[in-house]
Amino acid sequence: MKQSIIRKIINGKATLLIILILIVLLITYIRMPNSFTKGNAQQILSNLCFYGMFGVGVAMLLMGGGFDFATSAHATISTLVFYKVLQWIPGIPWGIAAIISIIAGALCGGVNAFLSQGIKLMPFIATIGMSSVWSGLAQWATRGQFKSINNPGFSAITAKCIGKTPIPWLFLFVIAVVVAYSVVLKWTRFGRSVLVCGGNPAAARLAGLNPDKIKSILYINNGILAAVGGLIWSSQQKMYNPTGLTSLMPEMTSLTAAMLGGVSFMGGSGTLGSAFMGIVLITTLSYALQTMQLPLWFTTLVNGLLLVIALTIDSFASKKIRKNMATAGIVMPGMR
Amino acid sequence: MELEQKAAQTVEKKVRTLEFKNISKAFPGVQALDDVSFTAVGGKVLALLGENGAGKSTLLKILSGDIPCDEGQILLDGEPLALTSPNKAINLGISVIYQERQLIPSMSVMENIFLGALPVRSGFVSYKELKAQTQAIIDEFGLPIDPTVPVAALSIAHQQMVEIMKAYRRNSPVIAFDEPTAPLTDKEIDILFGLIKRLKEEGKIIIYVSHRMKEIFQITDEIVVLKDGKFVTKLNTSETNEQELIKAMVGRDIGDTYANLSRNDKYGDVVLEVNNLTTYAVHDVSFKLRKGEVIGLAGLVGAGRTEVVRAIFGADPIISGEIKLEGKPVKFKTPRDAINAGIALCPEDRKEQGLILWAPITHNVSLPVLKKLKKFLFLDAKAEDDLTLGAIQQYSIKTPTLDKKVLELSGGNQQKVILGRWTSKLVTTKVLILDEPTKGIDVGTKAEIYQMVCDFAKQGIGVIFISSELTEVINVADTIYVMHNGRITGSVKREEATEENVLALAMLE
């Protein structure tokens, strides 16, 4: 009986998350009926756009058996590149600057791919180190100063809504990204390879796949999506902020969300849909806590609790697999 | 002088005994130990002898508190021991010295020897005393080891000596050695045996596990033979000989399973030729495999069989030597290259290296042929299902649905999933390598797998069959190559193969 409840929780991830989201909304409504405004809705959706981009990259990487602590640092570097390009080449269309910035994000991801798959450093430690390196550079570049980015076209991408609804156009783009990655994951050879290599890299290699290559692609992909996320943030804030992103730590939010959505920390399982529902839950929850004017430390505490809960659920889910492994040598993704 | 007195004292004391009483231990699919009982006595060296899988290491693991036994108990001097953890076992006076040394390489010899019992003076470790005490032990053993150097700086042999000194310092009445001589040179073995004799004279209970016959006759006083987890016999070393021991290790009934196999008797051209293959683990390995032939690689665990096939498959780097596939020299950098050329490997440990456990059967079957399952940008789910269905029907895999997770299947069915992966219509397998395909599988399915091996041969596939079960390998394979210490020590045709002559080659000195 007890086991079946646990199993239900594990299996019905998306459903459960939707129920939780509704509960959060309900409690907020009971406590603060006036908070259901168009402005608040738009704010939540904007936050979703930002976290959603990070969430996809992080979840993909997790499924492939990796994790990148430097994700927000990649985003910071990308926004720095964006700001610098706009500054150096006056009149350059922001779109081109954005593309250059995304390439920078890809390169940042590539560095971590090289460290973890190329020379086989322990990804957990290596990416923490690189996070610090990039953050240091990002602060040095503007001597720790915020720099405003005044580009009406660029600011509009996050501000414009569909007609009179509170839904930003950008939100549709983010949904499209989630859908596209879901399709790749479920129906393409690459997606299959991600799950297989994350699930058991040794077996995947002996069956002719190249786990190092797959994981490298995922690190680079994570860098690209982090860059896009960083751009969204810069567009919302209208500035380059050398420390803002790293203090927000969207990769940790994404990690929690992905794991709440059933992406295993051991790699090899999960869907992007439920990972995204995890993002929706966390974003809604922390915005609700803010509107209820609960102090910031409370939000921090709740986020931490969520991560531990998600990890606990994951550990329950993988217990069975662990039992099934003949030798007890299961390694964390960051260790292999 | 002092030692002699000590020895005299121990003789006066009651002889200590270590009794194994009705020990049983089951792992999923295998009864590793089945009601094993025997007694080891102080002042004698007792050898544990048996084939691979006879249960020797399981017994040592139980003794060292590493794993619990299902039934039975171990009694020291008539008192039952509660061996719930390795630490507990050490405190109860049991030291097991494994091949992999349990030392901390970066710490000094003295710290390792006194680990957990460092001499303390007013709250601080007294290194002076530590050094003096360690030096005393080293002198007693007459070894040229500096107590202050880190263990990592010592030779493998000396590291092992440190391990023994650690057991000696703990004053453990029971010391067990697991294949201690494997990494040692002859001279180092002499030193080791000197130490063992000295420990024996002090009345310690010594258990000695080794595959080397010569040593067993040289150092031990009694021999316990295990087979398939069961106690076979206990002999006095002085009253037995090599032939008798091998017979005791092997002797079992070979049922009709093998006689009823429908074999292939027509061989084609040579499909795989290996010349002087050398890697980090194997030396100068050469053999030829013809189409439709089944060759067996026999040998004890660690003989290098898996390493040979991994090198052929492109999974491990090759130092020198040549591999020819259908007469053409080939060099595989990755398993992918080998697969493309028509070589397939069912790896030794199917859960760790073969399967994606929490993925469905379909994903596991289609793994090497994803490229061929592409329809535009996407995977052709229907073709994948067909492929899987083919495997399920061909090997009668028992599963309610195609997308059941493989971790929910039995061991035999899991193995069939891997076989299905390599024999589907989308792969052309010329050489099929089966590494321990019957490990942990029930008797009925084993027989099915033997017939499958013969069927592959009939289709013209060259099969390399690796097994630690001697009976199996000498009855299924057409030619048996026996390995020892990374080299092929001989080959026997099935008609001439007996467990005795194969085991003799496998245990070659």
Side-chain angles (χ1 to χ4, degrees):
Chain A
M1 188 62 208
K2 204 175 158 193
Q3 208 196 357
S4 78
I5 291 170
I6 293 168
R7 186 174 283 180
K8 257 185 202 159
I9 292 172
I10 295 159
N11 291 345
K13 290 143 225 149
T15 332
L16 181 87
L17 288 170
I18 292 171
I19 294 170
L20 285 175
I21 294 163
L22 292 175
I23 291 174
V24 169
L25 289 174
L26 188 70
I27 293 173
T28 320
Y29 185 74
I30 293 167
R31 291 205 47 179
M32 313 202 62
N34 298 334
S35 65
F36 275 57
T37 63
K38 199 173 146 185
N40 281 342
Q42 193 188 335
Q43 192 54 51
I44 289 185
L45 290 174
S46 303
N47 290 352
L48 255 182
C49 294
F50 165 69
Y51 283 111
M53 290 316 291
F54 284 93
V56 173
V58 169
M60 290 289 289
L61 185 54
L62 270 178
M63 288 185 228
F67 186 69
D68 194 340
F69 272 109
T71 309
S72 52
H74 299 337
T76 310
I77 287 291
S78 305
T79 53
L80 172 69
V81 168
F82 181 75
Y83 163 72
K84 285 286 180 191
V85 170
L86 285 184
Q87 194 192 25
W88 286 332
I89 315 169
I92 188 175
W94 68 264
I96 293 174
I99 289 169
I100 296 170
S101 132
I102 289 169
I103 292 171
L107 289 175
C108 290
V111 170
N112 281 352
F114 172 73
L115 294 178
S116 69
Q117 306 314 126
I119 52 175
K120 309 270 176 200
L121 299 183
M122 214 194 277
F124 269 49
I125 316 295
T127 58
I128 288 176
M130 284 317 292
S131 164
S132 200
V133 170
W134 295 130
S135 305
L137 277 178
Q139 290 177 52
W140 164 81
T142 62
R143 308 297 182 268
Q145 307 253 297
F146 296 6
K147 297 285 176 189
S148 62
I149 298 175
N150 287 317
N151 187 315
F154 179 61
S155 307
I157 57 163
T158 47
K160 258 196 185 158
C161 290
I162 307 170
K164 290 218 158 85
T165 64
I167 304 167
W169 280 103
L170 188 69
F171 186 66
L172 293 188
F173 167 74
V174 173
I175 295 293
V177 169
V178 174
V179 171
Y181 274 89
S182 296
V183 169
V184 166
L185 196 62
K186 200 160 164 47
W187 283 297
T188 70
R189 184 159 79 100
F190 176 75
R192 177 67 60 78
S193 308
V194 168
L195 290 174
V196 164
C197 293
N200 190 343
R205 181 162 176 266
L206 288 182
L209 272 58
N210 187 345
D212 284 339
K213 188 173 114 192
I214 300 285
K215 239 191 239 182
S216 298
I217 294 173
L218 291 176
Y219 272 106
I220 293 168
N221 177 65
N222 184 54
I224 291 173
L225 291 179
V228 177
L231 288 174
I232 292 174
W233 199 68
S234 294
S235 159
Q236 288 165 346
Q237 309 281 321
K238 299 185 180 61
M239 64 175 176
Y240 163 69
N241 177 342
T243 52
L245 279 164
T246 33
S247 64
L248 270 179
M249 291 214 287
E251 66 268 44
M252 293 315 281
T253 310
S254 305
L255 176 69
T256 312
M259 288 178 57
L260 283 174
V263 176
S264 170
F265 196 61
M266 291 176 6
S269 67
T271 62
L272 278 177
S274 35
F276 186 70
M277 289 320 290
I279 296 268
V280 177
L281 173 66
I282 296 178
T283 323
T284 317
L285 181 66
S286 37
Y287 195 76
L289 295 177
Q290 274 175 45
T291 6
M292 288 180 213
Q293 297 190 329
L294 290 163
L296 196 63
W297 63 261
F298 190 74
T299 316
T300 314
L301 187 148
V302 168
N303 282 340
L305 266 183
L306 272 178
L307 180 60
V308 175
I309 291 169
L311 194 64
T312 313
I313 295 174
D314 180 43
S315 127
F316 269 109
S318 46
K319 213 168 223 169
K320 191 170 172 191
I321 293 159
R322 230 172 277 161
K323 243 196 237 160
N324 216 300
M325 303 290 273
T327 39
I330 287 214
V331 195
M332 289 204 305
M335 301 298 191
R336 61 185 175 213
Chain B
M1 189 63 189
E2 197 183 297
L3 266 165
E4 278 169 14
Q5 280 175 1
K6 222 173 169 182
Q9 278 169 9
T10 29
V11 171
E12 277 166 35
K13 270 197 281 177
K14 220 177 87 217
V15 176
R16 311 198 68 159
T17 57
L18 182 74
E19 186 183 359
F20 293 85
K21 207 171 167 190
N22 309 106
I23 307 278
S24 291
K25 174 77 191 175
F27 291 114
V30 198
Q31 187 71 37
L33 287 172
D34 189 2
D35 200 19
V36 171
S37 302
F38 63 90
T39 306
V41 294
K44 282 186 178 175
V45 179
L46 179 127
L48 266 186
L49 199 59
E51 283 184 80
N52 294 330
K56 295 165 302 194
S57 8
T58 311
L59 201 61
L60 279 195
K61 278 187 185 154
I62 291 171
L63 180 64
S64 68
D66 205 5
I67 54 173
C69 56
D70 299 341
E71 274 167 62
Q73 48 188 192
I74 299 177
L75 302 96
L76 182 61
D77 299 333
E79 293 289 318
L81 300 174
L83 301 166
T84 46
S85 72
N87 202 21
K88 209 66 178 281
I90 289 169
N91 292 337
L92 288 168
I94 294 180
S95 288
V96 179
I97 297 169
Y98 287 106
Q99 257 183 62
E100 307 81 39
R101 272 153 291 283
Q102 332 257 300
L103 298 169
I104 302 165
S106 58
M107 278 167 75
S108 67
V109 171
M110 53 186 190
E111 283 164 312
N112 268 291
I113 292 180
F114 281 87
L115 197 66
L118 294 172
V120 175
R121 275 283 149 79
S122 52
F124 294 97
V125 172
S126 162
Y127 281 94
K128 207 171 137 195
E129 202 169 309
L130 178 63
K131 192 177 168 186
Q133 289 184 15
T134 312
Q135 193 63 55
I137 297 177
I138 292 175
D139 290 345
E140 229 178 294
F141 282 86
L143 294 168
I145 296 177
D146 179 350
T148 56
V149 301
V151 163
L154 300 179
S155 69
I156 301 289
H158 280 162
Q159 289 186 13
Q160 193 148 20
M161 303 299 160
V162 172
E163 188 101 61
I164 295 167
M165 287 192 276
K166 202 163 103 184
Y168 180 79
R169 190 272 300 161
R170 285 184 197 136
N171 206 10
S172 310
V174 180
I175 302 176
F177 295 90
D178 186 12
E179 295 261 6
T181 54
L184 305 185
T185 63
D186 285 350
K187 206 175 152 218
E188 291 163 343
I189 291 175
D190 286 344
I191 300 175
L192 174 73
F193 284 0
L195 291 184
I196 292 180
K197 282 203 183 105
R198 166 191 232 109
L199 294 169
K200 180 174 118 178
E201 278 155 18
E202 285 178 25
K204 309 261 190 224
I205 300 165
I206 295 168
I207 295 174
Y208 189 88
V209 175
S210 177
H211 279 131
R212 300 186 178 181
M213 279 290 175
K214 204 174 86 191
E215 289 171 6
I216 285 173
F217 283 100
Q218 198 180 339
I219 191 78
T220 71
D221 303 294
E222 294 173 314
I223 301 168
V224 164
V225 180
L226 297 178
K227 179 168 69 73
D228 297 337
K230 293 193 184 74
F231 171 84
V232 180
T233 181
K234 186 175 169 185
L235 303 160
N236 282 324
T237 312
S238 54
E239 295 161 12
T240 185
N241 58 44
E242 207 165 313
Q243 280 74 21
E244 192 185 4
L245 284 180
I246 289 186
K247 206 161 206 171
M249 286 162 70
V250 166
R252 83 184 103 184
D253 297 332
I254 300 161
D256 297 331
T257 326
Y258 303 110
N260 291 342
L261 285 180
S262 141
R263 300 174 193 273
N264 173 47
D265 45 13
K266 275 187 302 229
Y267 302 147
D269 302 336
V270 172
V271 59
L272 181 77
E273 189 179 338
V274 176
N275 292 323
N276 306 95
L277 179 75
T278 299
T279 73
Y280 70 95
V282 300
H283 312 280
D284 257 345
V285 168
S286 304
F287 62 85
K288 277 182 190 155
L289 172 67
R290 283 169 292 177
K291 285 181 181 160
E293 187 185 20
V294 180
I295 67 170
L297 286 184
L300 301 162
V301 168
R305 298 162 302 170
T306 299
E307 287 74 11
V308 168
V309 295
R310 280 182 64 92
I312 295 173
F313 194 60
D316 286 343
I318 292 173
I319 295 170
S320 65
E322 184 189 42
I323 297 170
K324 281 184 183 170
L325 190 69
E326 295 180 317
K328 286 182 220 110
V330 284
K331 277 211 167 84
F332 303 132
K333 281 200 196 104
T334 63
R336 178 83 261 167
D337 297 341
I339 293 165
N340 289 344
I343 298 184
L345 170 73
C346 300
E348 174 181 33
D349 187 333
R350 61 176 169 271
K351 284 171 182 169
E352 289 274 4
Q353 296 171 10
L355 295 163
I356 319 296
L357 280 176
W358 48 99
I361 300 175
T362 43
H363 293 199
N364 277 284
V365 171
S366 65
L367 209 50
V369 292
L370 287 176
K371 220 176 217 161
K372 293 176 184 162
L373 286 174
K374 250 168 129 177
K375 202 179 180 186
F376 307 117
L377 288 171
F378 303 109
L379 287 176
D380 186 344
K382 205 183 153 289
E384 190 180 30
D385 285 354
D386 285 347
L387 199 72
T388 313
L389 205 60
I392 289 176
Q393 282 164 352
Q394 188 180 350
Y395 298 114
S396 39
I397 298 172
K398 287 182 198 74
T399 174
T401 54
L402 286 181
D403 48 12
K404 201 168 174 67
K405 290 184 175 140
V406 284
L407 73 100
E408 290 164 352
L409 300 178
S410 72
N413 284 313
Q414 288 181 344
Q415 192 64 28
K416 289 175 179 179
V417 168
I418 303 185
L419 284 174
R421 173 193 295 171
W422 294 119
T423 49
S424 73
K425 55 178 186 266
L426 290 178
V427 283
T428 30
T429 300
K430 294 171 190 162
V431 176
L432 179 63
I433 304 167
L434 303 169
D435 194 351
E436 303 276 7
T438 60
K439 205 174 181 181
I441 285 177
D442 63 283
V443 185
T445 315
K446 273 185 182 173
E448 277 183 63
I449 289 181
Y450 303 149
Q451 186 54 55
M452 285 172 202
V453 170
C454 297
D455 292 345
F456 295 139
K458 280 183 186 166
Q459 294 162 26
I461 297 174
V463 183
I464 301 178
F465 183 83
I466 298 180
S467 173
S468 291
E469 276 186 43
L470 268 183
T471 343
E472 183 176 286
V473 74
I474 64 171
N475 283 289
V476 174
D478 301 326
T479 312
I480 299 105
Y481 288 86
V482 189
M483 292 195 67
H484 174 82
N485 234 335
R487 291 170 196 278
I488 289 188
T489 48
S491 70
V492 220
K493 294 266 170 233
R494 186 176 60 242
E495 299 76 41
E496 302 150 9
T498 61
E499 301 203 18
E500 284 80 2
N501 61 19
V502 171
L503 198 58
L505 284 171
M507 293 173 85
L508 199 76
E509 281 300 315

